[in-house]
Amino acid sequence: MSARILVVDDVPANVKLLEARLSAEYFDVMTASNGTEALAICARAECDIILLDVMMPDMDGFEVCRRLKTDPATHHIPVVMVTALDSPADRNRGLEAGADDFLTKPVSDVVLIARVRSLTRLKMMTDELRMRAITSLEIGMQAPERSAVADTGKGGRILLVDDRESSYERLATILAAEHTIDVEPNPTEALFHAAEGNYDLLIVSLDLNNFDGLRLCSQARSLERTRHVPILAIAEAENSTRLLRGLEIGVNDYLLRPIDKTELLARVRTQIRRRRYTDHLRDNVQNSIEMAITDALTGLHNRRYMESHLATLAEQASTRGKPLALMILDIDYFKSINDNYGHDAGDDVLREFAVRVRKSIRGIDLACRYGGEEFVIVMPETDLHVAGMVAERLRRSIAGEPFAVHKGTKRIEVTISIGLTTLEQKGEAVADVLKRADTALYRAKHDGRNRVVSQAA
């Protein structure tokens, strides 16, 4: 797993030592001797993880970290402070500045590499989501960076898995000041609880009685509903080996007992902020996908999606020897609606029309806006007779009740014409089916509109 690691330290010997350790594990190492240089490298997006010293002459590490984490362009880059400072106050100050971890020199190679690998996985996942979300920006959706920078990391929903009453009572009391806490003292029920609870963070004790806490963490990572929920592990100091194993299987962060209140709150806030940011990225990606295949006005699928999906449905119908019905619908005299009542009224009609279409077809049917006032409905495993009944029901639904426009102040009569056909010849081109349905639609309009015309293959 290769990543670009930026080592920031004003002492050349420290830089060379870290560079040698990381290069031996096949990481690409970059170096900076001061905070200003480090900020410039990060601004150019040239690194994946930062190992940051605290005591530097021009700008200390706390300030460098604070600037990185308050800049929308760099806030997502993991920062690990590696310093000789070892007091709880210094560690908490670093975590409050936004550092993902705070390691005190001398740091063992095993601990350092395990942490870097863990954060590398996190960074690569975030980068992939960021790359996919670029499309959402191009279609006008809001980027999550600024809200992520402003997020306090408070108000999260946390599941605490701990079977020692004295321990979970203390932890729950501390966390309740900033978050909503559920305690699960029964580890055998914890995974089910986690999957059903929509949590922002799981806190798991690795010192459970008669239960392997690491196995619970591994199961949470393998379950779809909890795969992306961050995990904070808690263990005794002598269990450092198990903690390192936890990082390998997907634990995001850890704490050693006795637990410092300030450090606990800081690490929890960091994980919740990250969770919200990646969730926002995933939502943007999903929304951009939906917008690419959905008509914005009606909420039905668009022509692009219909053309690609229709080919798949036709192939399946041919392979399985099943019928496939297709109808093209056109709103009668739609231009006159726009001319007489305005384009806002026309939009009202299109929206309501889409609602009535959805109510008249099955869940497996595909309804699309073909363009303007034309729509296509594809009905798998449906013959011409059944499709004709559906089409007639839909025609009556449109004609039977006036459409409300201008916020309900006016109601207008609307009718539709429908051309209907089926795919029955194995291997028939989709374009031929559409053309046949279009010809049937033309006949329906020529014969007086507000009617269904079928044309067999």
Side-chain angles (χ1 to χ4, degrees):
M1 183 186 305
S2 181
R4 299 165 298 174
I5 314 298
L6 174 61
V7 176
V8 188
D9 198 317
D10 64 324
V11 179
N14 293 340
V15 173
K16 288 188 175 297
L17 179 61
L18 285 174
E19 187 175 11
R21 290 176 174 178
L22 295 164
S23 297
E25 298 294 329
Y26 304 103
F27 291 105
D28 295 328
V29 182
M30 309 171 64
T31 64
S33 59
N34 57 68
T36 302
E37 186 181 354
L39 291 173
I41 291 172
C42 294
R44 296 194 297 268
E46 294 179 353
C47 67
D48 295 308
I49 298 173
I50 305 162
L51 301 184
L52 180 63
D53 186 30
V54 171
M55 296 179 291
M56 295 184 294
D58 69 326
M59 185 188 310
D60 67 27
F62 298 125
E63 177 62 17
V64 174
C65 186
R66 187 192 65 78
R67 293 193 186 189
L68 288 169
K69 294 300 183 178
T70 54
D71 185 342
T74 59
H75 77 96
H76 63 287
I77 302 175
V79 176
V80 178
M81 290 190 166
V82 183
T83 175
L85 300 176
D86 60 356
S87 73
D90 290 320
R91 182 168 60 254
N92 292 335
R93 186 180 173 192
L95 295 171
E96 291 287 354
D100 294 81
D101 208 347
F102 192 100
L103 303 179
T104 301
K105 298 176 183 176
V107 181
S108 77
D109 289 357
V110 175
V111 172
L112 176 67
I113 298 304
R115 202 68 179 106
V116 169
R117 283 177 175 160
S118 172
L119 291 171
T120 295
R121 286 192 293 269
L122 175 66
K123 176 63 162 50
M124 288 182 172
M125 178 196 72
T126 304
D127 283 349
E128 184 175 352
L129 286 172
R130 283 166 57 85
M131 181 179 66
R132 292 181 180 180
I134 289 174
T135 303
S136 66
L137 303 182
E138 294 173 349
I139 59 178
M141 298 181 65
Q142 185 177 2
E145 273 71 20
R146 295 199 177 277
S147 59
V149 167
D151 191 354
T152 63
K154 298 180 181 180
R157 297 194 70 248
I158 299 173
L159 178 63
L160 171 60
V161 184
D162 193 343
D163 56 6
R164 289 163 49 185
E165 186 174 359
S166 60
S167 172
Y168 67 67
E169 284 185 350
R170 177 174 181 267
L171 293 175
T173 300
I174 294 171
L175 293 167
E178 296 184 356
H179 308 280
T180 300
I181 310 298
D182 289 338
V183 177
E184 179 51 80
N186 184 354
T188 61
E189 296 291 329
L191 191 64
F192 175 80
H193 198 160
E196 296 298 319
N198 191 29
Y199 291 102
D200 298 304
L201 176 66
L202 305 181
I203 300 179
V204 179
S205 170
L206 299 189
D207 306 305
L208 300 168
N209 291 317
N210 303 315
F211 198 92
D212 187 349
L214 282 182
R215 181 171 298 280
L216 175 60
C217 296
S218 177
Q219 291 171 338
R221 279 291 163 264
S222 64
L223 190 67
E224 179 65 28
R225 292 188 183 181
T226 55
R227 183 166 298 155
H228 302 298
V229 180
I231 300 173
L232 175 65
I234 296 177
E236 302 292 344
E238 59 269 21
N239 279 350
S240 57
T241 302
R242 282 173 56 74
L243 282 172
L244 295 178
R245 177 64 177 147
L247 292 175
E248 292 177 3
I249 65 175
V251 169
N252 299 78
D253 201 359
Y254 62 86
L255 275 167
L256 297 176
R257 302 182 194 272
I259 293 172
D260 179 83
K261 171 183 176 181
T262 304
E263 182 177 359
L264 170 64
L265 291 173
R267 290 186 184 273
V268 166
R269 286 195 292 267
T270 294
Q271 294 305 320
I272 290 177
R273 278 195 298 266
R274 237 180 230 292
R275 158 74 175 197
R276 290 170 176 166
Y277 174 59
T278 55
D279 278 356
H280 199 154
L281 286 176
R282 287 191 184 91
D283 288 345
N284 273 14
V285 171
Q286 183 61 37
N287 289 338
S288 66
I289 292 172
E290 291 177 0
M291 291 179 71
I293 63 175
T294 303
D295 174 63
L297 180 63
T298 64
L300 300 177
H301 289 299
N302 59 22
R303 179 170 183 164
R304 178 195 304 172
Y305 180 82
M306 185 275 294
E307 289 176 343
S308 62
H309 197 56
L310 176 56
T312 301
L313 292 175
E315 183 179 353
Q316 289 176 350
S318 295
T319 301
R320 298 171 184 173
K322 301 288 186 179
L324 178 77
L326 183 146
M327 64 180 83
I328 299 181
L329 308 84
D330 185 90
I331 299 176
D332 297 328
Y333 303 112
F334 186 73
K335 184 177 182 300
S336 67
I337 295 175
N338 284 331
D339 292 344
N340 295 330
Y341 300 96
H343 287 278
D344 287 347
D347 288 349
D348 289 340
V349 169
L350 290 171
R351 279 189 287 264
E352 174 61 22
F353 177 78
V355 170
R356 297 190 192 184
V357 166
R358 288 194 192 92
K359 291 179 178 178
S360 300
I361 62 176
R362 304 165 300 178
I364 64 170
D365 298 332
L366 173 66
C368 307
R369 185 180 181 189
Y370 197 52
E373 66 273 23
E374 277 196 342
F375 296 79
V376 170
I377 297 175
V378 184
M379 307 182 70
E381 301 187 18
T382 306
D383 60 25
L384 196 62
H385 174 69
V386 173
M389 295 172 59
V390 174
E392 184 60 32
R393 182 176 67 219
L394 178 56
R395 185 198 64 78
R396 289 197 301 268
S397 169
I398 301 302
E401 182 180 352
F403 281 57
V405 299
H406 295 159
K407 298 181 179 180
T409 58
K410 293 182 180 179
R411 299 176 71 83
I412 59 177
E413 302 289 337
V414 176
T415 63
I416 58 172
S417 300
I418 301 175
L420 175 63
T421 191
T422 57
L423 169 77
E424 294 179 345
Q425 300 175 22
K426 188 172 183 179
E428 183 180 14
V430 166
D432 292 340
V433 182
L434 282 167
K435 184 176 181 180
R436 194 161 56 246
D438 194 53
T439 299
L441 172 65
Y442 176 80
R443 282 180 49 202
K445 297 177 80 68
H446 182 268
D447 292 346
R449 296 180 169 83
N450 190 23
R451 67 191 62 229
V452 177
V453 171
S454 301
Q455 184 162 324

